[in-house]
Amino acid sequence: MVSTFSDDREDPLGWLAFAQSGVLTTAQATCLLGPGVVRGRVRSGRWRSVCRGVLLTGNGRLTRDQQLWVAVLATGPRAVLAGATAAAEAGVRGLRREPLHVLVPATRRAGRTVLRRLPVDMVAVVVHRTSVLPRAHLQIARPPRTTTARALVDAAGWARTVDEAQAVLAAGCQQRRVTPEEIRAVVDALPRAHRRHLVHRAVDDIAGGRGGTVGDRLPAAVPATRPAPAGSPTPAHRRGRANPLAGRVLAGVGGARGRRATGSCASPPGSSAPAPTRSRTPSTAPCWRRAGTPEHESWTVPVPWD
């Protein structure tokens, strides 16, 4: 269901439903309409009971905005979106959309029974507790959420791996949704934050111009920094098709039934290096292994059966 703008400016229920994407708590609806009217609309099918204490002013499937409101309202008072969920709502792309992360103060506990009985069209909700949630870390939004800097710091701490944590921080800074100084200020306010030292190192690298870590993760088989010598072959495509733009290709990939042959690449003009040869002796070396000097390099590549 999509909430529509109410023409009646004196209708508080319409304005509240519009502000919360059609998701209300039972207490809100009862205060505005009364318990009898609310029960009648739910029993007649006009409204839908999503979970205990949360109603939908419609009977359709939940949209993305409604799922966010259900996660916040079902968790309880003072709950806000956090982590990757809040960062995605702030505009950071490439983050996980599920599950939904909600942050609550450490002085209260969320209703675990309610969150375990969500409908099938509602994604999973993960509730986190914190003892440090100042007003400066809260973003005025609908639904309420943490600031982008706090969301990225929390997402890095809740990430499954270290690489994912670094990727979250780099995405927020590279997409210009947050600055490294803002992330540092949040980390300084959280002395017990998970992966605190990792966040500091990652932010220092990003601020120093080394935020892109893709070059550091290239496989060793890819000569990323050293250009190939003149006349050297180009490794064959993973499916067996050689690069048609290459000057010379020694052999293609034969797949599981191919054999391996060792040969020398073509030497530059005027060089006394031997011509390419082929050996029928099987080799266990990988296809990207190289040996020799830049003037005369040998490649080991798999070739198909004759």
Side-chain angles (χ1 to χ4, degrees), residues 3-19:
S3 300
T4 58
F5 186 81
S6 177
D7 294 334
D8 187 6
R9 297 181 181 271
E10 301 298 332
D11 183 13
L13 177 63
W15 279 101
L16 183 60
F18 174 77

Side-chain angles (χ1 to χ4, degrees), residues 193-225:
H194 187 47
R195 293 174 178 164
R196 186 171 185 268
H197 300 289
L198 173 66
V199 174
H200 267 300
R201 292 196 302 267
V203 170
D204 292 341
D205 293 343
I206 294 172
R210 295 176 293 173
T213 59
V214 178
D216 299 334
R217 301 178 185 176
L218 286 175
V222 181
T225 58

Side-chain angles (χ1 to χ4, degrees), residues 37 47 52-53 88-89 95 125 137 169 176 224 239 270 283 290:
V37 177
W47 286 10
R52 182 178 180 181
E89 290 301 306
L95 304 181
V125 179
H137 292 179
L169 297 172
R176 302 183 183 275
R239 293 184 179 178
S283 174
R290 298 183 298 179

Side-chain angles (χ1 to χ4, degrees), residues 159-303:
R160 300 178 181 177
T161 61
V162 174
D163 293 341
E164 182 179 349
Q166 294 175 345
V168 167
L169 297 172
C173 294
Q174 291 174 355
Q175 298 175 20
R176 302 183 183 275
R177 300 298 179 181
V178 70
T179 61
E181 290 74 16
E182 295 175 347
I183 296 180
R184 288 197 189 98
V186 172
V187 175
D188 294 339
L190 301 174
R192 300 176 58 184
H194 187 47
R195 293 174 178 164
R196 186 171 185 268
H197 300 289
L198 173 66
V199 174
H200 267 300
R201 292 196 302 267
V203 170
D204 292 341
D205 293 343
I206 294 172
R210 295 176 293 173
T213 59
V214 178
D216 299 334
R217 301 178 185 176
L218 286 175
V222 181
T225 58
R226 176 175 170 229
S232 61
T234 301
H237 194 271
R238 65 179 63 180
R239 293 184 179 178
R241 298 190 299 270
N243 185 2
L245 301 180
R248 180 165 183 170
V249 178
L250 179 62
V253 177
R257 298 187 178 182
R259 72 172 186 273
R260 296 184 180 275
T262 304
S264 301
C265 64
S267 303
S271 176
S272 59
T277 59
R278 175 179 292 185
S279 173
R280 293 183 177 273
T281 303
S283 174
T284 59
C287 63
W288 47 263
R289 184 176 180 181
R290 298 183 298 179
T293 61
E295 292 78 15
H296 181 216
E297 295 191 48
S298 63
W299 292 70
T300 302
V301 296
V303 297

